[in-house]
Amino acid sequence: MKKLLAILLALTLLLGCASIAEEAAPQLEHDVVVLFTSDVHCGIESGFGYAGLAMMRDAYRNAGNHVVLVDNGDSIQGEPVGTMTAGEANIKLMNAVGYDIATMGNHEFDYGMERFFELAKMASFPYVSCNFNKNGELQFAPYVIKEFDGVKIAFVGVTTPKTLTSSTPKYFQDENGNFIYGFFESATGEELYNAVQKAVDEARAEGAAYVIAMAHLGNETSCQPYTYADVIANTTGINAMLDGHSHDMDHVEMLNKDGETVLRQGCGTKLAGVGYLKIAAKDGAMKAGVMQWNCPDFNAAKLYALDTDITRAVVDATAEMNAALAEVVARSEVELTVNDPVTGVRIVRSAETNLGDLCADAYRYVSGADVAFVNGGGIRVSIKAGDITRNDILKVHPFGNMLCVCEATGQQILDALELSVKALPGEYGGFLQVSGLTFEVHTYLPSTVKMDEKNMFVGVEGERRVRNVMVAGEPIDPEATYTVASHNYMLMNGGDGNTIFKNNHFTHVDVMLDNQVLLTYVTEALNGVIGEAYANPYGEGRIVAVEAAP
């Protein structure tokens, strides 16, 4: 009897151990390395380049790691290779590199909604998004789960609701101007937070041991309440957020809604950095960072004379357009900038610059309008002194926006200026570079601009920051009618949330591509030479900041 009890006890213990072993969570046998890119903006040969990125991925894989390569959006727009192929060349290159997953940024939609869905079908990798929807219905899976050594890792896609105004709002509307596509936007951010939380909870319920957010949110003040910090602080269950949109390389560790630490990592733009997240096999510890390319004169493929399938694919993608783009079309005797020449910080979205003046002057010259505006977010790169190629012009205005002219009251112009400076001293893509007028902005006053839940302009509800506006040297008359030139993105389609002019009478619609407007002004009005009139990098005093009360 005692012998039988001993056998039964031993079997019980053995079965108990077996049960414990079966219930124990699987462990990684090899490290997982997630490589990520954000805001490539067609920089296929910049920094590491796609060729260097592919070799980096292969090196980690050959070293025995599990490797996942993901992109966080804004990859298909920004340079001629994107503009001239409507994104197709970029998708083909991402296929060749071997991306595993992608989410969309605001600029994935710059070629129109129909075109974006066409490009998504061309991709050999899935797009994921927990918040891009049509009338409330998600258009892509909210997440993808990858499994390594029995361990499940979920990748959740998140796109900033600011996309509705930082891409072309018209693309998200029906023929009657009603928004049918959205990103779960709301004044408080709650709808976005709930969408993210729902995706995270579902991934966890599906057995995900780790949840990684692939985000296009950024850190810009004008993106609140949709910044990465807003989302992390109002959700739980995310282990790490790989983030883009603001082009930073910041590493942040912050607490989520439950007081747990979440890693957030940016990786810059144009492949100057490749982000990474490592999950250790030994203890599951996570480490995030960015590998930076610090050789601005050479990309990786050029410096190391790489000859791979990817370098050859890049050559094929660009060969047809290189000759035309390399043509010298003008010359500049001064450097035209989007950055502060002292600090190197981008200022075209918060202050006047000489390139901003040039671009706005081009719109006024070609249109003959009283006033011209160009949004700082639409002026993308500086122009160095010396020869200017067609490619240089195209890089300044890569979006393919079209010149338009409308009639507007002085009051509408005042409202547009007030909207443009609402984020100062912070950046705002809708900050206006101007021609034909001058004004002061009293930055010591808080902005009283009112936006709706879609981040579209509603009105000004208090004291104004913009003062002493002069048109052609005379004080602006709020009751008078002026002609205003800009592009369809802002005047007609509500770009950057500007709804002020969309219902006005338009005298000219879709006249000329934005880059052609600039080229025409430089070659015709300036006879192909940009000279001393634009020498001051801070412009000629059209926009004056008053930082203290008089």
Side-chain angles (χ1 to χ4, degrees), residues 154-230:
F155 295 83
V156 177
V158 192
T159 301
T160 176
K162 290 289 184 178
T163 297
L164 290 176
T165 51
S166 55
S167 188
T168 300
K170 182 179 180 180
Y171 296 155
F172 302 90
Q173 300 169 346
D174 62 17
E175 62 276 8
N176 297 317
N178 302 308
F179 280 94
I180 56 174
Y181 291 97
F183 297 86
F184 293 127
E185 58 282 347
S186 61
T188 63
E190 286 297 322
E191 289 194 32
L192 174 65
Y193 312 151
N194 291 340
V196 173
Q197 191 64 66
K198 182 174 185 292
V200 172
D201 291 346
E202 289 176 354
R204 291 288 186 184
E206 204 171 320
Y210 301 93
V211 174
I212 299 168
M214 294 169 49
H216 198 85
L217 297 171
N219 60 13
E220 296 174 355
T221 303
S222 61
C223 289
Q224 295 174 341
Y226 309 125
T227 67
Y228 74 80
D230 293 319

Side-chain angles (χ1 to χ4, degrees), residues 43-50 52 269-273 293 295-296 298-301:
I44 59 178
E45 296 182 279
S46 303
F48 288 102
Y50 275 146
T269 185
K270 299 278 188 179
L271 291 174
W293 183 260
C295 187
F298 295 91
N299 60 58

Side-chain angles (χ1 to χ4, degrees), residues 316-472:
D316 291 342
T318 58
E320 296 180 5
M321 64 188 77
N322 282 345
L325 293 174
E327 178 189 356
V328 174
V329 293
R331 187 178 80 258
S332 181
E333 296 175 346
V334 300
E335 182 165 347
L336 301 154
T337 188
V338 300
N339 301 320
D340 188 308
V342 176
T343 65
V345 173
R346 182 175 65 188
I347 60 171
V348 75
R349 302 184 185 198
S350 59
E352 180 184 353
T353 77
N354 56 355
L355 181 56
D357 287 353
L358 180 77
C359 293
D361 287 347
Y363 270 87
R364 193 159 67 95
Y365 167 79
V366 173
S367 67
D370 299 318
V371 172
F373 296 139
V374 178
N375 59 321
I379 302 173
R380 304 302 287 190
V381 299
S382 301
I383 297 178
K384 293 181 179 180
D387 287 343
I388 301 174
T389 66
R390 194 178 299 277
N391 194 27
D392 294 327
I393 297 291
L394 196 57
K395 285 182 178 180
V396 172
H397 289 317
F399 300 125
N401 293 320
M402 302 290 286
L403 183 151
C404 297
V405 181
C406 73
E407 295 176 346
T409 65
Q411 186 59 59
Q412 288 178 315
I413 292 173
L414 290 171
D415 287 346
L417 295 175
E418 198 70 31
L419 170 63
S420 85
V421 301
K422 73 183 182 71
L424 290 181
E427 287 191 324
Y428 174 44
F431 179 86
L432 297 179
Q433 302 290 332
V434 303
S435 179
L437 62 74
T438 62
F439 67 96
E440 295 175 352
V441 52
H442 291 240
T443 56
Y444 59 88
L445 294 170
S447 175
T448 58
V449 168
K450 175 71 173 178
M451 311 294 281
D452 67 14
E453 70 280 357
K454 304 286 187 183
N455 204 40
M456 309 298 281
F457 177 80
V458 173
V460 182
E461 298 187 340
E463 190 171 7
R464 291 173 178 256
R465 310 176 94 185
V466 172
R467 301 181 180 184
N468 297 322
V469 180
M470 309 288 284
V471 178

Side-chain angles (χ1 to χ4, degrees), residues 14 111 140 147 212 241 266 373 454 504 523:
L14 182 61
Y111 307 118
F140 295 90
E147 186 169 335
I212 299 168
M241 179 177 285
F373 296 139
K454 304 286 187 183
N504 288 16
T523 56

